[in-house]
């Protein structure tokens, strides 16, 4: 059973760059798609981006200009960077695995980390 | 962006009751829809994918149906552990989620 664990800064100031890392254990990152999703307090889930083990990426159009997702297969980790953060980026950030369909396309979020709370405040 | 609208926002039922949750898409997502369960302080858990397929380990009292723009999650005979928030999610285009239904 694959397990995911997020690590992040907790608190950062407006206009800073958010960096998050997801460590994957119990399975290889050299398969499936890997994703970041966030949930502002009391609000719904918002998908941010996903990456394939090959390095191919797909971004939420509304966040694309500020976000970069990357993968490090040697460390079995993938990461997210988000620049120019504001209070609107305060959220619980989850990393998740996306199961690969029989056609090799991204399926659904079938394994999740516990989440990393990020608060943007001066 | 495909908008998913869930109804009702809150569903008040008792253990043993039948729950019916709805998810409507702003345009067709074919059968590419999933349902997740989220309990307080926990990450979401995949219950149903491709509209009607149960994920591994999900009890048979959970079932999904629908296609195109209208989908339903049914929970027959609610167990105490089923009281949670339920989200639908589509993958027809880039992923989006509904706003959730709280089952209380």
């Amino acid at each position: 059973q694959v397990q995911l664990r997020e690590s992040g800064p907790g608190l950062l100031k407006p206009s800073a760059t958010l960096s998050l890392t997801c460590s994957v254990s119990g399975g290889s990152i050299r398969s499936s798609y890997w994703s970041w999703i966030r949930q502002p307090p009391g609000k719904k889930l918002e998908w941010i981006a996903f990456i394939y083990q090959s390095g191919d990426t797909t971004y939420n159009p509304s966040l694309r200009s500020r976000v970069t997702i990357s993968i490090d297969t040697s460390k079995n980790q993938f990461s997210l960077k988000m620049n120019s953060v504001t209070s609107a980026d305060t959220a619980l950030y989850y990393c998740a695995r996306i199961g690969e369909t029989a056609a090799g396309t991204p399926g659904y979020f079938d394994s999740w980390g516990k989440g990393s709370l990020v608060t943007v405040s001066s | 962006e495909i908008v998913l609208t869930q109804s009702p926002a809150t569903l008040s039922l008792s253990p043993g009751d039948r729950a019916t949750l709805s998810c409507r898409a702003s345009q067709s997502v074919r059968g590419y829809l999933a349902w997740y369960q989220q309990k307080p302080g926990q990450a979401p858990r995949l219950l149903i994918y491709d509209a009607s397929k149960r994920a591994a380990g999900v009890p048979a009292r959970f079932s999904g149906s629908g296609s195109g723009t209208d989908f339903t999650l049914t929970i027959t005979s609610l167990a105490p552990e089923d009281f949670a928030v339920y989200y639908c999610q589509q993958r027809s285009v880039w992923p989006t989620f509904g706003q959730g239904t709280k089952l209380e």
Side-chain angles (χ1 to χ4, degrees), chain B:
Chain B
E1 172 181 338
I2 296 179
V3 176
L4 299 178
T5 302
Q6 293 185 240
S7 61
T10 303
L11 188 57
S12 299
L13 295 170
S14 300
D17 288 347
R18 178 187 184 93
T20 303
L21 289 68
S22 176
C23 177
R24 176 165 287 178
S26 59
Q27 63 190 75
S28 176
V29 299
R30 292 172 283 178
Y32 299 137
L33 189 109
W35 291 93
Y36 298 84
Q37 176 193 66
Q38 186 176 35
K39 296 181 180 180
Q42 296 184 18
R45 170 197 178 195
L46 178 65
L47 296 176
I48 301 288
Y49 66 98
D50 285 349
S52 62
K53 300 174 183 176
R54 270 192 303 276
V58 175
R61 63 180 180 273
F62 291 90
S63 64
S65 63
S67 66
T69 61
D70 290 296
F71 299 85
T72 300
L73 173 69
T74 302
I75 313 170
T76 58
S77 191
L78 283 165
E81 63 267 27
D82 298 338
F83 292 89
V85 179
Y86 292 83
Y87 292 97
C88 56
Q89 175 246 323
Q90 63 79 26
R91 69 171 183 91
S92 178
V93 189
W94 46 273
T96 57
F97 292 85
Q99 83 281 14
T101 289
K102 182 179 182 180
L103 179 54
E104 62 175 29

